[in-house]
Amino acid sequence: MRETEIARAQEELAARGWALLNDAPFLPHGRPDPEGVLRIATGFGRPSDRDGGREIWTIAPRTTRPGATFSMRAGGAAFHTDAQYHSRPEDVICLFVVRPADDGGDTMLLTERDVVTALRREPAGETALERLAQPVWTWTPPDVFSKAAAAVPPMPVLPGDGTVRWRRDNLGPLRPPQAQAATVFESGLRHAPAVRLCHHPGDVIVIDNRRTLHGRTPFADPERRLLRVRLWADR
Ligand SMILES: [Fe+2]
């Protein structure tokens, strides 16, 4: 991978909260090369092995259990940030496309700025923004990672510093005003202008996990395969 391409992606990541590399050299002979994956990933941070005990995590359908976490099952994934159940989520996520699904599974991206703009247009949006800024939100870690996560104090969803933390399906118990704010937030997510990235083998999608939510469109193809590396920005 040429240094200039990594530098361009680093600039894009800083400027808009995500970046895309095409034809990245991590698939020699069509098979993923872990060293190549980590060489590219380290252009964006220091790899984390906190959840799952490994730096490279395979995202592929491995179970049909509906409650399984997004990376282990087929189907869509609603907008979320990764590791939201930790007090400090990793700063960056790299998604390496090994094999796209033949029936969807595109990556969706949405920045905090666009979400806040959309929320201000929602009925009761301002009230929801106030509640989302309060440190009253908790998340339950997925079963597969539950041993790795320590107890975390309640956190804000939108603290107002340009960052966001969210996942709807594992939110802790909600009092009625919070439940209402969560519903308004989800409505904002639906109405905000998202970016949709179709996958090609050799793509690397780089996401600022502090500022950009990600999700995916539905798919059923059991052969879909991505590799994920989460990274710390301080090196
Ligand atoms: Fe994710």
Side-chain angles (χ1 to χ4, degrees):
M1 188 105 244
R2 292 219 307 270
E3 289 296 313
T4 51
E5 288 174 66
I6 297 283
R8 174 194 55 80
Q10 288 168 339
E11 280 173 29
E12 281 181 4
L13 180 67
R16 72 176 177 197
W18 61 274
L20 175 65
L21 294 164
N22 301 116
D23 299 318
F26 66 91
L27 287 173
H29 315 295
R31 299 178 69 87
D33 162 33
E35 281 182 25
V37 166
L38 290 176
R39 200 176 308 122
I40 295 164
T42 51
F44 303 93
R46 180 166 54 86
S48 166
D49 64 358
R50 179 170 58 172
D51 290 332
R54 67 197 89 157
E55 294 172 332
I56 300 174
W57 181 263
T58 300
I59 299 176
R62 279 170 275 183
T63 173
T64 52
R65 200 163 53 82
T69 198
F70 295 143
S71 65
M72 300 180 73
R73 60 167 170 80
F79 278 117
H80 65 282
T81 56
D82 273 12
Q84 73 300 121
Y85 45 86
H86 284 296
S87 57
R88 188 187 160 200
E90 282 85 345
D91 304 293
V92 176
I93 308 160
C94 285
L95 297 176
F96 294 78
V97 179
V98 177
R99 192 191 179 287
D102 60 15
D103 59 352
D106 300 336
T107 291
M108 304 295 291
L109 298 169
L110 189 50
T111 64
E112 182 267 359
R113 189 186 309 180
D114 286 343
V115 173
V116 170
T117 302
L119 266 177
R120 293 198 195 285
R121 297 197 192 105
E122 293 288 322
E126 294 293 343
T127 307
L129 275 165
E130 282 174 28
R131 291 193 180 123
L132 292 160
Q134 293 166 357
V136 295
W137 302 83
T138 58
W139 288 267
T140 307
D143 289 349
V144 66
F145 300 145
S146 58
K147 289 198 188 82
V152 171
M155 295 283 177
V157 173
L158 290 168
D161 60 357
T163 66
V164 58
R165 174 193 295 258
W166 185 250
R167 183 164 160 167
R168 180 69 185 92
D169 62 348
N170 62 341
L171 270 172
L174 301 179
R175 292 178 297 110
Q178 259 184 295
Q180 195 179 17
T183 301
V184 175
F185 186 72
E186 285 283 311
S187 179
L189 294 178
R190 282 194 297 279
H191 295 138
V195 173
R196 179 174 186 150
L197 298 178
C198 296
H199 292 176
H200 309 277
D203 286 351
V204 184
I205 301 163
V206 189
I207 303 166
D208 181 334
N209 189 45
R210 309 248 304 143
R211 293 191 291 148
T212 304
L213 299 126
H214 63 281
R216 70 173 181 237
T217 62
F219 74 97
D221 183 356
E223 300 300 319
R224 181 185 190 265
R225 186 173 161 95
L226 310 185
L227 302 175
R228 178 185 69 208
V229 181
R230 292 177 179 159
L231 301 140
W232 303 109
D234 55 341
R235 282 182 265 178

